[in-house]
Amino acid sequence: MSVKAIHSRDNAEFRFLKNLAEEARARREAGLTLLDGWHLIEAALQAGLKPEKLILTEGVVMPAGAQALLETLPVLSLSEALMRALAPVKTPTGLMALLRIPQPAKTRREFAILLEDIQDPGNLGAVLRSAAAAGVQVVYLSKGCTDAWSPKALRGGQGAQFQLAIVEGADLAEVAAEFPGGVYAAVLGAEAALYQLELTGAVAFAFGNEGAGLSRSLQACCQPFSIPMPGRVESLNVATAAAVCLFERVRQTAYAGSGGRQ
Amino acid sequence: MSVKAIHSRDNAEFRFLKNLAEEARARREAGLTLLDGWHLIEAALQAGLKPEKLILTEGVVMPAGAQALLETLPVLSLSEALMRALAPVKTPTGLMALLRIPQPAKTRREFAILLEDIQDPGNLGAVLRSAAAAGVQVVYLSKGCTDAWSPKALRGGQGAQFQLAIVEGADLAEVAAEFPGGVYAAVLGAEAALYQLELTGAVAFAFGNEGAGLSRSLQACCQPFSIPMPGRVESLNVATAAAVCLFERVRQTAYAGSGGRQ
């Protein structure tokens, strides 16, 4: 077991890690990110991704499953203060890992989402979590989207990132034009209701910025629909709207014809 | 226009307001809560609820719609530091209102949700927002639920609280026993799929604690079902799961038979 201890904020390796924790650009340039907590590290391992390094607080109690990793990975030991500076939450778990950001897997691309300029990492993580649960295979993010591999987005996704092919900096109009099936966009007031769409076969959904919605230029590449809202509420947040749409595809693919009033 | 200015943290009225902002018990005892920002105040007004008092930071620019309120309500003016101590977010809007918590409206109770021990105010707010959008009429909260009228839950709900009959401290087993229709509970691994349920007529859904799920005793009062998840993800968060279920009822009520593969 190879352990290196760091106690100073001026240490070059610590500064490198802190940049990874805070700067999308640093993550992009290095192709690396940080996973906080055993839950995420375990999800990465289960998806066949092995971290480059473990980072832990001196004296942290390691989960049983993590013990074996200690023998096979380089370990960096940080003081509590340094760990707090690195972790995305107030009460750090005491265990992080350095992960090489995976290239988007070559997968079937029959069920996709296009995300335009989503700003909040928590929202993005929540959308990815719903997408992974619903069986989405590939996610295209516009240049203006917050980084899918930031510690906060990873926390929100709870491992969803490891199950999806994630294409960042995509030209969404081009993606929509080349997609081999219907590309649908939720637009407030659109005439067609979600439940009237034919959502079997290859299907993509586009979701826009939390405040501004989808840009006109991307809307023009999509078939508009609306989510019917019987109540007196203007809109759903993007993660909720995405879940409702993605699971309607799940229903139509596997359960149409069963249950409910036909 | 009657304006009273407060500059000291020791002022009794300020201390009363700070307790309301922070303590569920203080809100319950006084029957009052605080709305932060014009968006929420406007939503309350539109629902026919008139605040008791406006609270603003000295020099704040009032939205056009709020000007008229200044003439009809008592106004409390706070220094910026005091306003920051009161507001639920880091950058206060500078405008709050004191609201009497409404009694649950006598409404039709055909579409209901039962919430057991939801801990996070943001999650609770998100569930209420989806519920209001889907046309839920009444929400029953167990004693162990976080307070639906806290500033954080109000922020998450974005006005949903004003559209729903909210019954706090409810005995959920009793509610389930007396409900005049099916009471359904999402349970991981349950055999019946959401999409096989008959969700027209009177319908209630029960959702449980974020970590522990629904208690066994409440499960015993409900018909279990699961949300099919084709992807390799264990679960959805409670707000997302609620949205998927509530909008399946929307679909069955208004759109079954149209669209998709039948």
Side-chain angles (χ1 to χ4, degrees), chain A:
Chain A
M1 177 163 133
S2 133
V3 181
K4 181 179 162 186
I6 300 182
H7 293 96
S8 161
R9 283 174 191 268
D10 298 326
N11 177 283
E13 186 166 4
F14 176 74
R15 289 212 313 270
F16 175 73
L17 294 174
K18 192 154 162 55
N19 272 341
L20 286 185
E22 290 172 358
E23 306 283 346
R25 192 174 159 173
R27 288 188 291 273
R28 250 194 323 272
E29 283 177 5
L32 293 165
T33 191
L34 291 169
L35 307 180
D36 181 45
W38 176 239
H39 183 74
L40 268 183
I41 297 171
E42 198 177 24
L45 290 168
Q46 281 167 357
L49 301 171
K50 191 174 176 182
E52 309 275 309
K53 195 172 281 195
L54 284 184
I55 303 158
L56 42 81
T57 313
E58 290 161 357
V60 70
V61 179
M62 298 282 283
Q67 295 287 353
L69 272 191
L70 286 175
E71 304 302 322
T72 61
L73 289 180
V75 176
L76 207 60
S77 157
L78 299 184
S79 66
E80 270 190 48
L82 292 192
M83 194 59 144
R84 249 198 312 277
L86 218 55
V89 288
K90 274 186 193 165
T91 47
T93 58
L95 179 62
M96 298 181 84
L98 184 67
L99 183 80
R100 183 154 301 283
I101 296 171
Q103 291 299 308
K106 300 271 176 230
T107 173
R108 283 187 311 136
R109 304 200 167 188
E110 279 201 337
F111 191 12
I113 55 175
L114 285 59
L115 302 179
E116 189 183 43
D117 300 359
I118 306 281
Q119 293 302 297
D120 180 78
N123 279 344
L124 178 59
V127 172
L128 296 180
R129 187 175 173 197
S130 297
V136 164
Q137 294 135 0
V138 54
V139 181
Y140 299 94
L141 289 89
S142 70
K143 277 204 183 70
C145 258
T146 186
D147 174 10
W149 297 96
S150 70
K152 278 189 189 162
L154 283 161
R155 190 177 143 77
Q158 295 199 16
Q161 277 86 340
F162 311 132
Q163 305 293 343
L164 297 160
I166 296 179
V167 181
E168 297 195 284
D171 178 333
L172 297 185
E174 203 178 293
V175 169
E178 291 174 0
F179 189 76
V183 182
Y184 301 95
V187 173
L188 279 181
E191 201 175 322
L194 169 65
Y195 308 112
Q196 297 170 315
L197 305 178
E198 161 66 51
L199 297 175
T200 53
V203 164
F205 282 101
F207 302 103
N209 172 270
E210 292 95 334
L214 219 59
S215 68
R216 295 234 165 225
S217 57
L218 186 53
Q219 271 186 41
C221 309
C222 302
Q223 301 179 49
F225 70 93
S226 60
I227 302 175
M229 293 185 213
R232 281 178 299 169
V233 158
E234 293 158 31
S235 66
L236 296 170
N237 82 34
V238 62
T240 307
V244 170
C245 298
L246 299 176
F247 277 88
E248 172 60 8
R249 145 88 175 194
V250 171
R251 185 193 70 81
Q252 288 194 20
T253 305
Y255 292 88
S258 68
R261 204 178 69 191
Q262 294 299 325

